[in-house]
Amino acid sequence: MQYLTMNDGNKIPQLGYGVFQMSSADVEKHLPEAIAAGYTHIDTANAYYNEVAVGKAIKVSGAKREDLFVTSKLFPQDYPYQKCKAAIDATLERLDMDYLDLLLFHQPYGEYVDGWRAMEEAVREGKVRSIGLSNFNERKIRQILDVATIKPAVIQVEINPRWNQHPLKAAFADERFVWEGWYPLGHGDKELLAMPVFKELGEKYGKTAAQIILRWHMQEGNVVFPKTLNPQHMADNADIFDFELTDDEMAAINRIPQKPYYTVPDEAPAWVWGPNDYSQQA
């Protein structure tokens, strides 16, 4: 495993296991498999409706809490200051944990500026070790920086070879953010995986196209959560630390034409506001 040091001094594993769109039953079955395969970084969210299952699966796995890095996220209806404080406690209760390693604001809508105070207080109270933002654009990240006494440590956005986020990263180079990437393999884009550059590099290093892309992420300094329910794929995704791409090979990947798979709207879509009752999960 490789680790990055965040701007608050805490360390974060670069390769994690995400549980987006996994049922509670899937989480309870497959998360222990992932932990047994060596994954120590787990990424969930209250909007995934599987935090309870994540907590149960971790206990079943036998892993020590201090050996894991656990992330969750809050949705916009919980951003107002008082609601945010209660939502943080509720997430910890569902996970059956005393603290989170990382907590993110999940979507860039609503009263996130007001709620940031509650995130900072959670750090000071020991409930959360690091805080950050998911899906926020440059303007909205700067709104948080304008009021922050504890800066975001992590920014989670779409990152893959077709949307490498180099301009956004450059805009915040001085902040030393850690960048987490969703859609790390292009959201199942077979055309991306079939590109000659990945085929050629795969043949050179004896790796699959997916492993080449994940290695690119590691050298880009990204944190990623390739999703799979297959134990063999879990092992394959982690088998990326025994080789290194050259500067020229990295540059060849970075020359791929850029276009996002999903554009986060500036205004909140209706589904953001729910109603969402996160207590209703197995």
Side-chain angles (χ1 to χ4, degrees), residues 3-274:
Y3 295 82
L4 299 173
T5 300
M6 295 181 279
N7 59 15
D8 59 9
N10 295 324
K11 293 187 180 297
I12 183 170
Q14 267 192 275
L15 185 67
Y17 188 76
V19 297
F20 176 55
Q21 292 183 331
M22 287 175 63
S23 69
S24 292
D26 282 341
V27 169
E28 290 189 46
K29 178 179 179 181
H30 296 292
L31 180 53
E33 294 173 345
I35 293 172
Y39 290 83
T40 59
H41 185 173
I42 301 155
D43 180 88
T44 186
N46 54 23
Y48 296 173
Y49 286 88
N50 56 24
E51 288 174 312
V52 171
V54 167
K56 289 180 179 177
I58 287 173
K59 285 184 169 54
V60 167
S61 77
K64 295 180 180 179
R65 175 65 185 91
E66 60 268 25
D67 293 336
L68 300 176
F69 189 103
V70 181
T71 298
S72 196
K73 313 177 195 76
L74 304 180
F75 232 49
Q77 70 267 24
D78 286 330
Y79 292 172
Y81 173 74
Q82 290 295 343
K83 285 187 175 182
C84 192
K85 290 181 71 68
I88 293 168
D89 289 340
T91 279
L92 289 170
E93 183 176 351
R94 286 191 293 271
L95 288 164
D96 195 16
M97 294 179 182
D98 295 327
Y99 70 93
L100 280 165
D101 295 279
L102 176 63
L103 184 64
L104 306 177
F105 277 169
H106 199 163
Q107 299 287 348
Y109 310 116
E111 298 181 47
Y112 48 82
V113 172
D114 186 46
W116 193 252
R117 287 188 300 136
M119 297 279 272
E120 294 177 334
E121 287 176 10
V123 173
R124 296 187 181 104
E125 292 165 359
K127 296 177 180 179
V128 177
R129 293 188 171 174
S130 299
I131 49 180
L133 304 168
S134 174
N135 296 309
F136 280 57
N137 61 25
E138 180 178 350
R139 178 178 66 84
K140 293 180 179 182
I141 293 170
R142 293 197 186 282
Q143 287 179 311
I144 294 294
L145 290 175
D146 285 344
V147 301
T149 59
I150 300 176
K151 293 181 179 181
V154 167
I155 307 294
Q156 187 180 102
V157 288
E158 179 187 341
I159 309 178
N160 51 66
R162 278 194 158 154
W163 198 239
N164 59 37
Q165 295 286 7
H166 286 182
L168 187 62
K169 288 181 174 183
F172 293 104
D174 292 342
E175 303 297 342
R176 297 189 299 113
F177 294 145
V178 164
W179 297 89
E180 292 186 341
W182 47 262
Y183 288 178
L185 299 175
H187 195 42
D189 182 358
K190 294 181 180 179
E191 182 180 298
L192 174 66
L193 294 173
M195 284 184 172
V197 64
F198 300 121
K199 183 176 185 296
E200 292 166 8
L201 291 174
E203 291 173 352
K204 174 181 176 180
Y205 291 106
K207 299 292 183 180
T208 65
Q211 288 171 318
I212 296 297
I213 293 174
L214 292 174
R215 183 65 217 175
W216 170 84
H217 277 291
M218 296 299 101
Q219 292 179 222
E220 280 277 300
N222 302 329
V223 174
V224 291
F225 313 95
K227 180 187 173 185
T228 180
L229 305 184
N230 184 314
Q232 184 57 55
H233 291 168
M234 293 176 195
D236 290 343
N237 290 340
D239 186 21
I240 57 172
F241 299 108
D242 59 349
F243 74 106
E244 186 170 320
L245 301 172
T246 68
D247 290 346
D248 286 345
E249 290 164 351
M250 290 291 291
I253 295 172
N254 285 327
R255 285 195 294 271
I256 292 173
Q258 297 291 289
K259 183 180 180 181
Y261 289 94
Y262 177 74
T263 299
V264 177
D266 200 53
E267 298 297 327
W271 54 262
V272 166
W273 301 113

